[in-house]
Amino acid sequence: MLTERQLLILQVIIDDFIETAQPVGSRSIAKKNNVRYSSATIRNEMADLEDMGYLEKTHSSSGRIPSERGYRYYVDHLVSPRETAGNIHIIRNIMQDGLFEFEQIVQSSAEILSRITNYTSIILGPEVFETKLKQLQIVSLSENTAVAILVTNTGHVEHRSFSVPEAIRASDLEKMVNILNDRLRGVPIFKLHEMLNTEIINLMTKYVTDFDTTYDYLKAVFFSENPVKLYFGGKSNLLMQPEFNDIDKVRSFYSMIEKEDEIANLLKGAADGIKVSIGHENEVDAIKECSLITATYEMNEEQMGTIALLGPTRMEYKKVIALLDTLSTEMSDVLYMWYKNNE
Amino acid sequence: MLTERQLLILQVIIDDFIETAQPVGSRSIAKKNNVRYSSATIRNEMADLEDMGYLEKTHSSSGRIPSERGYRYYVDHLVSPRETAGNIHIIRNIMQDGLFEFEQIVQSSAEILSRITNYTSIILGPEVFETKLKQLQIVSLSENTAVAILVTNTGHVEHRSFSVPEAIRASDLEKMVNILNDRLRGVPIFKLHEMLNTEIINLMTKYVTDFDTTYDYLKAVFFSENPVKLYFGGKSNLLMQPEFNDIDKVRSFYSMIEKEDEIANLLKGAADGIKVSIGHENEVDAIKECSLITATYEMNEEQMGTIALLGPTRMEYKKVIALLDTLSTEMSDVLYMWYKNNE
DNA sequence: CATTAGCACTCGGCAGGGCAGAGTGCTAAC
DNA sequence: GTTAGCACTCTGCCCTGCCGAGTGCTAATG
């Protein structure tokens, strides 16, 4: 257990290091006006904190820097989320602005998030899971091409162009779409597949000639798994951090960032609430010298997506945690409103 | 005017430097088996080439590197575009694969382009200019929200969610959309605005109550300028180039790359055919140490978009120029087929 | 007279040494 | 328990000397 004084010193060191990225020496701590001990005392305490694993030295006579364990302690015990008044306003503003362009909201949230924090922001989702089908449609473009459009109750639109095989009659397609619309409107997207395979098939065979081909085709067009979307903001922000002065780190890091699917998996597992992964707590190698802070947002108590910030382990945890907290509840609120509107 | 021998030497130097990124010395040139002169002779010629501005030294006793003027000469006189058999196949494959998912074609073209070349690829467009309206539609989501969908004959789908003001009646909206569909189907997108303002207005006022509000609203929803899309491939490829060993260059470069609108402007002006901009020929500061090669692609003889590759001035011009040449004609072909299909 | 061999010279890069500054750990004094 | 003081350690920087790669010039060559 840490004494009051050790706590204070740990806090000061971490705050200082987060700000300056330089090892912190005992003398500079002693100079702070909320510290009333001499540098010698502080040196002793620092040695103890190092023994306990909260601090590290970069070399034998350097100042101390926080260890990952130190950050962990800091985040768990010394950070009390309290948002700055300015930010909440900015966030509110984005949120209210274009309520009706969901993807744009997400994109600009990501951008603003990265601008406020100077880290890289990643937003996953929203998953189309809980949303319901509003309308299916096929618009024919020419004799043998058409575009299929799927609209959900959240205003999300998916579309896909395809070629219409000779074997399929336009009238059959139309019939099928009509039936599907009839039966599937209001059905949650994730149930579509199931419904199709059970209830709808029987119905269709009755009305549509050459059912099999047409059905297979439609299924492929409408219900192909489409990858969850990732939105990035400030991808180059991390470059500016002094820990990325080493060009090779930059290289390995950025070749990783380009692999969107890995990132998506990383964020997909996120638990409810805010979670902080510090350095080696992360499972992906390329970000083992970074911290990842994730927050989820939800709609009507159903988790929809994840907001994350990626920065160096020397991250402004206080600020960032508060910010993500605000943003995620704000997004959830907006989504809830939306949901109620469209019920 | 350059002598035969100078030409040879210039070519060898540039080829060598493009490969190794190291200054080229007279001895190493003399060793090549297509060079039959001693290192002393070559030194003399190199001095002359330097006087003429085609070569540079990094310091007084270093080997030579090509100047920008040298590259220019190289590109203009020494590059004869001839594509490698392998690449054209790869390209054909992408092109035929998913003819019906245009945006995906473009995206994966960008990715493959960057993978073959190890540079950063940028594709602009396709512009929706020459394409024609196929269908407008409004799907109502709830009492006061709806989503507007616009489909073009190329299978391109635009959509936008919006809130329906109290003042507007659903029936009016519907009527308007019907009229618009009637009158505007087949009209090129770029003429929509004009047509609306002249012919359609009169017609509408007759049938729709409270015309003004509704009209303004629809116009905003359907015909808002939407920015041209940029597709990137291999953004981090340039990091791997040795000229980016300097972290500050990397920083300024990447903060520039993030400004999509600037890049878009850069590519928008591209003339027909292939154009090579070397180093300071580029107007944007951040890429004054890079070369940008642009090629346009067209549909039915109308320019639609631009493909570009961004690399260090020490770029594999031969390979890249051939590649872009193939890709742009290939894309144009595909688009032409598409066009004929949908006429 | 164009080409080449030879040589003096230049410069970058690297390793080693010396020095200043920041910081520690320990001991002894308060 | 706290602090002052001192010896010690390590980094970063600059300076030096040296090696190797490459040039430019001159004089010899076919």
Side-chain angles (χ1 to χ4, degrees):
Chain A
M1 199 48 212
L2 296 184
T3 66
E4 200 68 24
R5 189 166 69 189
Q6 286 170 330
L7 234 58
L8 174 66
I9 292 175
L10 182 59
Q11 169 124 24
V12 169
I13 291 178
I14 297 188
D15 284 339
D16 192 307
F17 184 72
I18 284 179
E19 190 181 339
T20 66
Q22 298 297 323
V24 186
S26 55
R27 227 176 83 87
S28 72
I29 299 177
K31 271 193 223 148
K32 310 249 168 189
N33 26 1
N34 57 339
V35 178
R36 308 207 106 53
Y37 312 96
S38 74
S39 65
T41 312
I42 292 170
R43 275 202 293 284
N44 289 329
E45 294 288 28
M46 279 159 76
D48 290 347
L49 284 168
E50 186 179 352
D51 287 342
M52 290 185 270
Y54 296 117
L55 294 179
E56 284 172 357
K57 284 192 276 199
T58 59
H59 58 87
S60 74
S61 73
S62 76
R64 301 301 205 290
I65 63 173
S67 68
E68 289 185 3
R69 182 150 177 227
Y71 283 124
R72 176 88 275 163
Y73 193 93
Y74 178 82
V75 169
D76 291 344
H77 299 87
L78 301 173
V79 171
S80 59
R82 205 181 336 135
E83 67 288 315
T84 36
N87 289 335
I88 198 171
H89 276 128
I90 300 182
I91 292 174
R92 285 254 164 81
N93 277 345
I94 321 169
M95 284 307 166
Q96 283 168 359
D97 210 28
L99 176 57
F100 308 102
E101 287 283 356
F102 202 87
E103 308 207 346
Q104 275 197 16
I105 293 187
V106 177
Q107 182 62 55
S108 60
S109 299
E111 253 144 44
I112 295 199
L113 204 51
S114 69
R115 210 176 315 141
I116 310 183
T117 61
N118 282 315
Y119 304 126
T120 296
S121 66
I122 313 172
I123 302 191
L124 177 78
E127 296 247 27
V128 208
F129 245 43
E130 246 305 304
T131 56
K132 292 167 188 159
L133 181 70
K134 195 82 197 180
Q135 191 174 68
L136 293 174
Q137 204 190 353
I138 289 188
V139 176
S140 146
L141 300 173
S142 67
E143 269 173 44
N144 53 1
T145 56
V147 53
I149 301 174
L150 179 158
V151 185
T152 73
N153 67 329
T154 59
H156 181 79
V157 175
E158 302 260 336
H159 66 97
R160 190 166 163 173
S161 311
F162 62 101
S163 69
V164 185
E166 302 270 333
I168 298 182
R169 286 203 227 147
S171 61
D172 277 351
L173 264 186
E174 205 174 309
K175 258 190 229 161
M176 277 186 87
V177 171
N178 283 339
I179 297 176
L180 287 173
N181 263 319
D182 236 40
R183 308 286 298 193
L184 295 180
R185 185 162 299 157
V187 169
I189 301 293
F190 74 100
K191 274 198 189 154
L192 281 184
H193 236 113
E194 194 190 324
M195 293 269 298
L196 258 184
N197 287 330
T198 56
E199 298 179 40
I200 315 290
I201 282 192
N202 298 328
L203 188 66
M204 302 269 266
T205 35
K206 281 187 206 159
Y207 297 99
V208 181
T209 54
D210 196 7
F211 168 75
D212 282 342
T213 336
T214 321
Y215 173 70
D216 284 349
Y217 210 78
L218 255 194
K219 204 164 112 180
V221 169
F222 273 128
F223 307 111
S224 59
E225 295 276 327
N226 59 324
V228 199
K229 275 209 174 164
L230 273 185
Y231 302 83
F232 281 90
K235 263 189 187 173
S236 65
N237 277 0
L238 285 191
L239 273 179
M240 309 303 163
Q241 301 292 341
E243 21 273 284
F244 275 81
N245 276 347
D246 178 3
I247 192 95
D248 287 319
K249 270 189 208 164
V250 176
R251 286 182 176 144
S252 74
F253 180 81
Y254 275 86
S255 45
M256 139 89 195
I257 277 285
E258 297 244 308
K259 294 177 197 151
E260 299 219 340
D261 38 346
E262 277 191 40
I263 307 270
N265 283 333
L266 201 63
L267 297 193
K268 244 177 190 164
D272 271 23
I274 292 199
K275 195 187 157 205
V276 182
S277 305
I278 298 166
H280 288 75
E281 295 171 10
N282 289 300
E283 295 193 353
V284 179
D285 274 350
I287 61 169
K288 282 209 188 303
E289 304 201 358
C290 297
S291 284
L292 180 72
I293 307 197
T294 59
T296 56
Y297 58 94
E298 50 189 42
M299 174 157 116
N300 199 31
E301 311 202 336
E302 190 81 31
Q303 183 178 325
M304 281 202 77
T306 309
I307 318 170
L309 270 175
L310 187 58
T313 45
R314 182 187 61 79
M315 204 181 201
E316 289 186 79
Y317 293 99
K318 283 185 184 168
K319 183 172 158 191
V320 163
I321 289 175
L323 199 59
L324 275 191
D325 194 40
T326 322
L327 185 60
S328 75
T329 51
E330 208 65 29
M331 279 182 80
S332 299
D333 284 358
V334 169
L335 283 170
Y336 182 67
M337 297 284 286
W338 175 273
Y339 181 77
K340 287 197 85 169
N341 261 339
N342 290 21
E343 224 170 6
Chain B
M1 197 50 209
L2 296 184
T3 68
E4 201 67 23
R5 190 166 67 191
Q6 287 169 330
L7 234 57
L8 174 67
I9 291 175
L10 182 60
Q11 169 125 22
V12 169
I13 291 178
I14 296 188
D15 284 338
D16 193 305
F17 184 71
I18 283 178
E19 191 182 337
T20 66
Q22 297 297 323
V24 187
S26 55
R27 227 175 84 87
S28 72
I29 299 177
K31 272 193 219 148
K32 310 249 167 188
N33 26 0
N34 58 340
V35 178
R36 309 208 105 52
Y37 312 97
S38 76
S39 64
T41 313
I42 293 170
R43 275 203 292 285
N44 288 328
E45 294 288 28
M46 278 161 73
D48 290 349
L49 284 168
E50 186 178 351
D51 287 344
M52 290 184 271
Y54 296 116
L55 295 179
E56 284 172 356
K57 285 192 275 198
T58 59
H59 59 89
S60 73
S61 74
S62 76
R64 301 302 204 292
I65 62 173
S67 68
E68 291 185 2
R69 183 151 176 226
Y71 283 123
R72 176 88 276 165
Y73 193 92
Y74 178 83
V75 169
D76 290 345
H77 298 86
L78 302 172
V79 171
S80 58
R82 207 182 334 136
E83 67 287 317
T84 36
N87 289 334
I88 198 172
H89 277 127
I90 301 181
I91 292 173
R92 285 255 163 81
N93 278 343
I94 323 170
M95 284 307 164
Q96 283 168 0
D97 211 29
L99 176 56
F100 308 103
E101 286 284 356
F102 201 86
E103 307 208 346
Q104 275 197 16
I105 293 187
V106 177
Q107 181 63 55
S108 61
S109 298
E111 252 145 45
I112 295 198
L113 204 52
S114 70
R115 209 177 314 142
I116 312 183
T117 59
N118 283 314
Y119 303 125
T120 296
S121 67
I122 314 171
I123 302 191
L124 177 77
E127 296 247 27
V128 210
F129 244 43
E130 246 305 302
T131 57
K132 293 167 189 160
L133 181 70
K134 196 81 197 181
Q135 193 174 66
L136 294 173
Q137 205 189 354
I138 289 188
V139 176
S140 144
L141 299 174
S142 68
E143 269 175 42
N144 52 1
T145 56
V147 52
I149 302 175
L150 180 158
V151 184
T152 73
N153 67 328
T154 59
H156 181 79
V157 176
E158 301 260 337
H159 65 97
R160 190 165 164 173
S161 311
F162 62 101
S163 69
V164 185
E166 301 272 335
I168 298 182
R169 287 204 226 143
S171 62
D172 277 351
L173 263 187
E174 204 174 309
K175 258 191 231 162
M176 276 186 89
V177 171
N178 284 339
I179 296 176
L180 288 173
N181 263 319
D182 236 38
R183 309 285 298 192
L184 295 180
R185 186 162 297 159
V187 169
I189 300 294
F190 75 100
K191 276 198 190 152
L192 282 185
H193 236 112
E194 194 190 322
M195 293 267 301
L196 258 184
N197 287 330
T198 54
E199 299 179 37
I200 315 290
I201 281 192
N202 298 328
L203 188 65
M204 302 268 265
T205 34
K206 279 187 206 161
Y207 297 98
V208 181
T209 54
D210 197 7
F211 167 75
D212 283 341
T213 335
T214 320
Y215 172 72
D216 284 350
Y217 210 78
L218 255 194
K219 203 165 113 182
V221 169
F222 273 127
F223 308 111
S224 59
E225 295 276 326
N226 58 323
V228 198
K229 275 209 175 165
L230 272 186
Y231 303 84
F232 281 90
K235 264 190 188 175
S236 66
N237 277 0
L238 285 191
L239 273 179
M240 310 302 162
Q241 301 292 341
E243 20 273 283
F244 276 81
N245 276 347
D246 179 3
I247 192 95
D248 287 320
K249 270 188 207 164
V250 176
R251 287 184 175 141
S252 74
F253 180 82
Y254 275 87
S255 45
M256 139 90 195
I257 277 284
E258 298 244 308
K259 293 177 199 151
E260 299 221 338
D261 40 344
E262 277 190 39
I263 308 271
N265 282 334
L266 202 62
L267 298 192
K268 244 176 189 164
D272 271 21
I274 292 198
K275 196 187 158 204
V276 182
S277 305
I278 298 166
H280 287 74
E281 294 172 13
N282 289 300
E283 295 194 352
V284 179
D285 275 350
I287 60 170
K288 282 210 189 301
E289 305 202 355
C290 297
S291 284
L292 180 72
I293 307 197
T294 59
T296 56
Y297 57 94
E298 49 189 42
M299 174 156 115
N300 200 30
E301 311 202 335
E302 189 80 33
Q303 183 178 325
M304 283 202 73
T306 309
I307 318 170
L309 269 174
L310 188 59
T313 44
R314 182 187 63 79
M315 204 182 202
E316 290 187 78
Y317 294 99
K318 284 185 183 169
K319 183 173 158 190
V320 163
I321 289 175
L323 200 59
L324 274 191
D325 194 38
T326 322
L327 185 60
S328 74
T329 51
E330 208 66 29
M331 280 182 82
S332 299
D333 284 358
V334 168
L335 285 170
Y336 182 66
M337 297 283 287
W338 174 274
Y339 180 78
K340 286 197 85 170
N341 261 338
N342 291 21
E343 224 170 6

